[in-house]
């Protein structure tokens, strides 16, 4: 995590993105508005029920657990070191963060974004083959296997909006951990 002048750990929104079309990448915008139980206003993946094209075919009544997609900016730094060029929004995320271990968050953690918005984390995004269409070989860097055989996914995490509000670059992010047992993120 980053630290402010007093040495307190900080995390912040680096970029926000949305797109009304079901496209792979999303353009960055000055701010987004999160709507409780719905997602990012004006985004193709917003809705109370699933909006993911593959999942809609399987069950259009399924609750939408992927209303907001987060990616860490530190992953883009890592990818640049591996020869890839990826900028905020290009992997389809709505919110790019800096200074927060997104992949280490437990299921049900709440991210307080800016003054009002709260998103409850529902799981990890499973990288899809479209990633290789964006940049050849990128998929292999976003999914791998740990020494213990566990699959490692680096395609971001997903959440649902529990309190609406406006989110913009520079907004602080505060983490509220769930009470009780801390369960690891599964795939949604």
């Amino acid at each position: 995590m980053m630290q402010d002048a007093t040495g307190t750990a900080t995390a912040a929104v680096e970029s926000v993105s949305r797109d009304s079309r079901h496209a792979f990448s999303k353009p960055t915008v000055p701010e987004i508005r999160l709507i409780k139980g719905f997602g990012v206003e004006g985004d193709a993946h917003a809705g109370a029920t699933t909006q993911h094209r593959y999942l809609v075919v399987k069950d259009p009544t399924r609750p939408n657990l992927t209303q907001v997609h987060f990616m860490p900016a530190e992953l883009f730094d890592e990818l640049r070191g591996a020869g890839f060029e990826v900028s905020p929004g290009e992997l389809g995320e709505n919110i790019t963060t800096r200074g927060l271990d997104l992949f280490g968050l437990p299921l049900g953690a709440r991210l307080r974004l800016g003054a009002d918005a709260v998103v409850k984390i529902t799981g990890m995004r499973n990288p899809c083959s479209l990633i290789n269409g964006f940049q050849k070989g990128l998929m292999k860097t976003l999914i791998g296997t740990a020494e213990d055989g566990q699959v490692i996914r680096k395609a971001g995490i997903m959440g649902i909006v529990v309190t609406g509000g406006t989110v913009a670059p520079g907004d602080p992010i505060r983490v509220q951990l769930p009470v009780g047992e801390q369960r690891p993120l599964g795939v949604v």
Side-chain angles (χ1 to χ4, degrees):
M1 278 203 167
M2 301 183 306
Q3 294 185 346
D4 65 16
T6 67
T8 304
T10 62
V13 173
E14 183 156 306
S15 182
V16 293
S17 305
R18 73 167 177 266
D19 196 344
S20 60
R21 301 169 301 125
H22 277 280
F24 182 75
S25 296
K26 296 178 190 261
T28 59
V29 293
E31 66 181 28
I32 56 174
R33 183 168 170 251
L34 302 183
I35 301 171
K36 179 181 179 177
F38 191 76
V40 179
E41 182 177 59
D43 192 79
H45 293 97
T49 57
T50 190
Q51 300 298 307
H52 188 282
R53 289 185 284 187
Y54 170 76
L55 296 175
V56 166
V57 172
K58 290 175 74 174
D59 180 5
T61 66
R62 177 183 177 193
N64 187 359
L65 300 178
T66 61
Q67 294 173 356
V68 183
H69 180 195
F70 293 87
M71 289 289 284
E74 292 84 356
L75 175 64
F76 299 152
D77 299 340
E78 178 185 322
L79 292 172
R80 275 192 227 33
F84 296 97
E85 189 57 42
V86 182
S87 298
E90 290 185 332
L91 293 181
E93 78 277 7
N94 300 111
I95 299 175
T96 307
T97 66
R98 172 85 54 192
L100 178 60
D101 179 11
L102 291 176
F103 303 117
L105 293 172
L107 182 66
R110 290 175 184 240
L111 300 183
R112 298 184 175 279
L113 306 154
D116 302 311
V118 179
V119 176
K120 181 179 176 182
I121 302 305
T122 56
M124 298 172 106
R125 175 185 179 206
N126 196 26
C128 70
S129 60
L130 293 176
I131 290 172
N132 277 336
F134 174 68
Q135 287 186 35
K136 187 172 175 62
L138 185 57
M139 174 81 159
K140 188 175 182 179
T141 65
L142 295 179
I143 192 164
T145 307
E147 289 181 18
D148 65 0
Q150 185 176 359
V151 176
I152 300 171
R153 292 175 176 83
K154 295 182 184 178
I157 65 170
M158 310 301 278
I160 57 171
V161 181
V162 295
T163 305
T166 300
V167 180
D171 281 351
I173 302 172
R174 295 164 310 285
V175 177
Q176 180 183 2
L177 297 175
V179 176
E181 179 186 355
Q182 307 290 302
R183 298 187 343 222
L185 299 177
V187 175
V188 291

